[in-house]
Amino acid sequence: MARSAGIHHITGIAGSPRRHVEFYTRVLGLRMVKRTVNFDDPSTWHLYYGNETGAPGTALTFFVWDHLPAGRPGVSQAVETAFAIPESSIGYWTARLVEKGVPHDAPEKRFGETLIGLRDPHGLRLELVGSRAVAAEPGWAGGDVPVEHAIRGFFGVTLWLENPAATAKVLTEVLGFVAKASEESRQRFAAEGPLGAIVDLRNVPAAFAGSLGPGTLHHVAFRAAGDADQAAMADAVRRLGLRPTDQIDRRYFRSVYFREPGGVLFEIATEDPGFTLDEPKASLGTALKLPPWYEERRAEIERALPPLE
Ligand code: ZN
């Protein structure tokens, strides 16, 4: 079977972009690797943050939907996005979050690793996990965080589910994840890694109903090495009685979407061509990039977008 190498990107919803951009670039030290529009609604921003190139496994992206009321995390959602930092950087980050006034929890242990829970300006739940496996991965050296402490990319994501069994089947039979240990209400699944290799399924009662809006996640995308692997995974989705979309051109990758049985929107995205498709690596994320089919409406689109800085 085709196996996913893990998470490709995670997409959340943001409200007003001003504090948001500052938080992800200046406080967390990620690079804005693409500023574009939501291809399904070009009057709204789609912003991408990641490592130097926004490589698969590092890209957290946001639809800026400031017209929506705040969302609420709950069952049938991906809730916590975990970033990987070197194990030795937990102390640095604890001090940094205090200094920057970021709401966060005391460090805790999960499956033997230390993590810090924190919130972005719209209340989105993030985690920094001290990981033994990522010190050699490249962090973004051009940000405000010293490169030895920089976020390397994703550690993983936690889904909140009323009945995790059917979702577990998608992870193992479609994406090739392997079941690992359980701890309290949480079951861990892993791909090969090292970045974005973890999906935790957290069993929560149906009473924890959520709603989509700023401060919540929209979908989780998993990596496919190319079109053939993606097609094989889409076939596996169909074999489970689920309905994947046709392949959709997202310009920086090609995507297939499906709603997994627990209610979370999943995407399978190709690793190519990536964000250097339409601008050089040195200037990624500095100019509004539009797909060719929107270029002729550029002036109108630029006028409609709220300012970022
Ligand atoms: Zn996506």
Side-chain angles (χ1 to χ4, degrees):
M1 70 179 282
R3 284 180 184 280
S4 173
I7 294 165
H8 182 287
H9 65 270
I10 297 175
T11 296
I13 302 169
S16 153
R18 289 171 189 270
R19 278 161 64 226
H20 174 85
V21 175
E22 201 213 306
F23 177 80
Y24 284 97
T25 59
R26 307 302 296 268
V27 178
L28 292 190
L30 299 175
R31 185 181 196 191
M32 189 192 281
V33 291
K34 193 64 65 184
R35 53 180 81 195
T36 184
V37 294
N38 182 334
F39 289 2
D40 300 324
D41 174 9
S43 69
T44 59
W45 286 107
H46 192 179
L47 304 175
Y48 292 73
Y49 304 95
N51 69 357
E52 184 176 20
T53 60
T58 75
L60 180 59
T61 96
F62 286 92
F63 299 139
V64 179
W65 287 345
D66 49 2
H67 56 286
L68 285 187
R72 192 172 59 233
V75 71
S76 297
Q77 287 181 15
V79 174
E80 289 104 351
T81 299
F83 290 111
I85 57 171
E87 203 177 10
S88 55
S89 298
I90 288 284
Y92 169 85
W93 277 98
T94 306
R96 184 176 180 83
L97 296 176
V98 170
E99 182 201 316
K100 300 285 184 187
V102 178
H104 65 281
D105 307 324
E108 58 180 289
K109 286 271 186 197
R110 184 185 298 158
F111 296 112
E113 282 156 326
T114 304
L115 66 97
I116 309 168
L118 61 142
R119 306 278 189 276
D120 90 349
H122 297 111
L124 184 70
R125 296 172 189 228
L126 304 173
E127 295 168 341
L128 296 170
V129 181
S131 164
R132 277 161 223 122
V134 300
E137 296 294 316
W140 168 227
D144 286 358
V145 175
V147 68
E148 69 266 31
H149 297 305
I151 287 173
R152 301 315 207 245
F154 293 125
F155 178 83
V157 69
T158 298
L159 314 185
W160 287 17
L161 300 164
E162 186 190 359
N163 172 17
T167 304
K169 218 168 149 148
V170 171
L171 290 175
T172 56
E173 292 183 18
V174 173
L175 300 167
F177 278 63
V178 174
K180 299 284 185 184
S182 293
E183 202 176 87
E184 296 167 7
S185 59
R186 182 183 292 271
Q187 192 181 6
R188 174 153 291 185
F189 292 81
E192 294 269 303
L195 291 178
I198 300 297
V199 177
D200 283 351
L201 304 186
R202 190 172 159 200
N203 197 184
V204 300
F208 282 92
S211 62
L212 213 59
T216 61
L217 294 177
H218 189 271
H219 64 267
V220 180
F222 294 92
R223 293 163 71 163
D227 290 333
D229 275 17
Q230 185 188 55
M233 292 178 202
D235 281 342
V237 171
R238 282 184 210 97
R239 280 198 297 277
L240 291 179
L242 304 171
R243 303 230 306 268
T245 62
D246 290 336
Q247 189 188 68
I248 298 172
D249 179 11
R250 294 307 189 191
R251 193 139 169 79
Y252 310 108
F253 38 85
R254 298 172 301 285
S255 299
V256 165
Y257 300 82
F258 64 101
R259 184 81 53 185
E260 59 83 24
V264 182
L265 184 61
F266 277 8
E267 172 182 350
I268 301 169
T270 57
E271 294 179 6
D272 67 307
F275 298 109
T276 52
L277 175 76
D278 58 358
E279 56 189 335
K281 186 161 87 173
S283 58
L284 280 176
T286 55
L288 171 65
K289 304 310 286 188
L290 295 174
W293 57 92
Y294 285 143
E295 264 314 331
E296 63 179 30
R297 293 173 54 195
R298 173 174 281 270
E300 169 205 340
I301 287 170
E302 280 180 339
R303 271 196 307 274
L305 290 168
L308 289 189
E309 283 103 6

